[in-house]
Amino acid sequence: MPVSTLDRSVTEPIIRRLNALRTLSAQASASLEHAVLEGMQRAGSGEDLISEGDPVDSVRIVLSGWLCRYKTLEDGRRQIVNFIFPGETCDAHAFLLAVMDHSIATLTPVVYSEIKRARFETLVASDRSLAEAFWCETLVNSAIQREWAINLGRRVALERVAHLFCEIFERLRPVGMIDGNSCIMPVTQMDLADATGLSVVHLNRTVQELRAAGLIVLRERTLTINDLDALKDAALFSPSYLQLYRRK
Amino acid sequence: MPVSTLDRSVTEPIIRRLNALRTLSAQASASLEHAVLEGMQRAGSGEDLISEGDPVDSVRIVLSGWLCRYKTLEDGRRQIVNFIFPGETCDAHAFLLAVMDHSIATLTPVVYSEIKRARFETLVASDRSLAEAFWCETLVNSAIQREWAINLGRRVALERVAHLFCEIFERLRPVGMIDGNSCIMPVTQMDLADATGLSVVHLNRTVQELRAAGLIVLRERTLTINDLDALKDAALFSPSYLQLYRRK
DNA sequence: CGGAGCATTGAGGCCACTCAATCCAGGTGG
DNA sequence: CCACCTGGATTGAGTGGCCTCAATGCTCCG
């Protein structure tokens, strides 16, 4: 079955994302696209794709929509520990460990592809750059985790929210999901609060502070950054941890 | 050159640590030990082994001593994002990315082994379980990072400090570095504050609260946990993220 | 028209912060 | 041996950032 032009546009974020990490051969791209198109799935908003404690036996790659990784405490406190954007992989290597240590939920309706472990392992065994690209993605995720630790531990509310907005913007850029100085922001303030470790009330007030400072506009699920450099300064944001530029 | 019995005891934490993740063949253990013994190094306390922004071209495995991964903000605020204990690897796969996104510093005098990238890659290419063990270590580190995110974002000071003590204790156990209900705690309260995102003053008061509750004794660089279950309850600690038990 | 979900605002309280002083142990030089 | 210094632990006082509780507004939708 040939991969049509239409299909190509569907898998584009994935190919762009991985190519940002390692140059993929046409052959590797094609076999990946083929595998992706075989396992297409949809999920509504607010669904758990995987829950903490589940064993994992497949890899999920996001084609469209936003997801989050989160953990909860017994009493219900929730912390979003990372977002997952189109082109990114949910758990490329999670099957090496016994069970999931966290949950993954959709924040919007999502289209993704589910690839069984054996299929995935065959795929990456066939091409070294493909294997390395997936590993790099895992490593970049680790780096993002570390940045979130300093964000939660050492930045004050205003810096923290500003930093999150900067990160979202810079992560959406390489997959072509920003439009000028705007991007969609399809999540609730509750989600943003859980990502920044703040209460909803205080998150709301912090967003208003950013608005009052003229740094951002946030309405109708769209974030507009008036002055990206100024926002980055306010956030103490330095993008190197995202590894947007390659070594070689 | 044969590996002597004395040498064996030096590399023991490494072998124990990796075996907890994947069963290593005698052959794999031996060639790893050999490589480790070739690259032995020492460092004093308070030294940076690698700094943010550095390119990486070797792997460091810790034989004894404590280290930490940390990030800083321009104005000096510091967040320790993880500890590194004997038997653990500093950056098994960091060379796949361009540069370090964080720094690694010693918290005590340290003995470690530095293995050049090419040597390391040859080593892991020779044995699948060895390669998987190192990858698992990287993945467990990611899981720890995520737990730290909820620790910093959603636990209050008392829970946070209690959680850190539980984690340290449970991570030292598999490498044989606990003694009954005690372990060494060779770091300053400043370090503990930077790991928990608290000020030194408040960390000190929180430790005293744990002491007053009869949960711990902390003096002369030794931590004694009077009632581990009670401490875990106070911390909302659940060890599954440490992957102490294997799938297979 | 009523309800649900989300954003916003007000009021009051506490947790963790900063600044600053004190204590203590270990190391060093006179 | 002691005075001194330094790094770390501890304590006190006062403040403010972020919290909780609770009410209100708004929009969408059945």
Side-chain angles (χ1 to χ4, degrees), chain B residues 195-217:
Chain B
T196 49
L198 300 170
S199 67
V200 191
V201 171
H202 197 62
L203 177 101
N204 180 279
R205 290 183 168 126
T206 306
V207 167
Q208 288 176 53
E209 225 181 307
L210 287 169
R211 272 200 273 252
L215 291 169
I216 64 160
V217 178

Side-chain angles (χ1 to χ4, degrees), chain A residues 83-144:
Chain A
F83 287 111
I84 304 176
F85 297 117
E88 298 187 351
T89 307
C90 280
D91 22 52
H93 308 96
F95 50 69
L96 287 176
L97 298 180
V99 296
M100 287 292 284
D101 63 285
H102 63 285
S103 305
I104 296 181
T106 58
L107 297 171
T108 69
V110 161
V111 180
Y112 66 97
S113 173
E114 183 167 355
I115 304 177
K116 290 287 165 205
R117 174 180 180 169
R119 180 91 163 88
F120 180 78
E121 288 189 316
T122 307
L123 191 64
V124 296
S126 71
D127 184 279
R128 184 183 166 96
S129 64
L130 195 56
E132 283 194 1
F134 278 111
W135 278 118
C136 281
E137 217 201 309
T138 296
L139 294 173
V140 170
N141 259 298
S142 270
I144 292 172

Side-chain angles (χ1 to χ4, degrees), chain A residues 28-76:
Chain A
S29 297
S31 51
L32 174 62
E33 282 183 316
H34 200 271
V36 165
L37 293 171
E38 268 177 15
M40 298 269 284
Q41 311 265 336
R42 278 167 198 283
S45 183
E47 291 179 21
D48 269 19
L49 288 198
I50 315 175
S51 299
E52 186 174 341
D54 287 354
V56 187
D57 231 21
S58 61
V59 172
R60 279 160 240 244
I61 309 183
V62 179
L63 296 158
S64 71
W66 288 25
L67 301 89
C68 70
R69 299 175 192 277
Y70 72 94
K71 302 193 74 152
T72 53
L73 300 179
E74 300 148 25
D75 61 7

Side-chain angles (χ1 to χ4, degrees), chain A residues 156-197:
Chain A
V156 299
L158 189 84
E159 297 165 342
R160 221 183 280 181
V161 176
H163 190 278
L164 181 64
F165 286 156
C166 288
E167 180 181 309
I168 289 172
F169 198 75
E170 292 300 347
R171 285 173 71 179
L172 289 177
R173 191 199 297 275
V175 285
M177 302 203 61
I178 64 171
D179 175 18
N181 58 351
S182 295
C183 65
I184 57 160
M185 181 64 58
V187 298
T188 65
Q189 294 197 353
M190 166 80 86
D191 295 326
L192 295 174
D194 282 345
T196 49

Side-chain angles (χ1 to χ4, degrees), chain B residues 71-147:
Chain B
K71 302 193 73 152
T72 52
L73 300 179
E74 300 149 24
D75 62 8
R77 278 174 280 176
R78 179 174 83 137
Q79 178 69 44
I80 292 180
V81 300
N82 208 340
F83 287 111
I84 304 176
F85 298 116
E88 298 188 350
T89 307
C90 280
D91 23 52
H93 308 95
F95 50 69
L96 287 175
L97 297 181
V99 296
M100 286 292 284
D101 63 285
H102 63 286
S103 305
I104 296 182
T106 58
L107 296 172
T108 70
V110 160
V111 180
Y112 65 97
S113 175
E114 183 167 355
I115 303 176
K116 290 286 164 205
R117 174 181 180 168
R119 180 91 164 88
F120 180 78
E121 288 189 315
T122 307
L123 191 63
V124 296
S126 72
D127 185 280
R128 185 184 165 97
S129 64
L130 195 55
E132 283 194 0
F134 278 112
W135 277 118
C136 282
E137 217 201 311
T138 296
L139 294 174
V140 171
N141 259 298
S142 272
I144 292 171
Q145 264 349 121
R146 284 185 285 266
E147 185 66 34

